[in-house]
């Protein structure tokens, strides 16, 4: 298996459950605490492509920056939305697991098993 990466927020129960699920299988992912080390716009673009999602599908619309930055505005470009996620990582849905050139969101945590 190629490198296994978990974009992790330890305060999130789904993120903790996903990490536990991986560890139960003897897997040790590289953990990126994305709130402390936000992914670059380029990294986010790659994650979105691997997930097969558009930026708003990876955003948490109930977070304050979503409303404050008017990210629901349909005039915003893909690049502008990605830049907002990089600048405000709280907007990024979690957890995200990357393995074997694929990515999955751990909601529910079992979703990530499909890419292992």
């Amino acid at each position: 298996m190629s490198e296994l990466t978990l974009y992790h927020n330890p305060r999130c129960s789904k993120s903790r459950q996903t990490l536990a699920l991986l560890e139960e299988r003897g897997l040790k992912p590289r953990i990126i605490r994305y709130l402390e080390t936000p992914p670059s716009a380029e990294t986010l673009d790659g994650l979105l492509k691997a997930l097969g999602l558009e930026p708003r599908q990876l955003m948490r619309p109930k977070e304050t920056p979503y409303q404050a930055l008017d990210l629901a505005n349909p005039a915003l470009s893909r690049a502008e939305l990605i830049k907002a996620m990089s600048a405000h990582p709280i907007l990024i849905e979690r957890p995200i697991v990357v393995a074997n050139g694929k990515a999955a969101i751990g909601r529910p945590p079992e979703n990530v098993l499909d890419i292992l």
Side-chain angles (χ1 to χ4, degrees):
M1 180 188 319
S2 63
E3 184 173 11
L4 177 64
T5 302
L6 171 65
Y7 288 85
H8 182 55
N9 176 355
R11 294 183 62 197
C12 169
S13 64
K14 295 293 182 208
S15 201
R16 291 192 309 269
Q17 291 167 12
T18 299
L19 177 58
L21 186 70
L22 295 171
E23 290 175 338
E24 286 167 9
R25 284 160 173 71
L27 302 171
K28 292 186 174 29
R30 176 173 70 113
I31 295 174
I32 297 174
R33 290 180 157 201
Y34 69 93
L35 292 176
E36 298 164 18
T37 310
S40 68
E42 295 78 20
T43 299
L44 277 168
D45 187 49
L47 285 170
L48 286 163
K49 288 175 181 166
L51 288 162
L53 298 176
E54 288 303 315
R56 280 190 190 89
Q57 293 174 291
L58 189 60
M59 287 184 168
R60 299 172 60 83
K62 293 181 181 163
E63 295 294 342
T64 303
Y66 192 88
Q67 285 94 27
L69 299 171
D70 193 26
L71 296 177
N73 182 341
L76 293 174
S77 70
R78 186 175 196 277
E80 289 171 317
L81 294 170
I82 290 171
K83 184 177 174 186
M85 283 192 287
S86 184
H88 305 277
I90 192 73
L91 291 168
I92 302 169
E93 186 60 82
R94 64 201 177 242
I96 302 169
V97 173
V98 181
N100 304 313
K102 298 176 187 166
I105 298 174
R107 289 188 169 272
E110 293 75 22
N111 277 356
V112 305
L113 300 177
D114 294 341
I115 65 167
L116 301 178

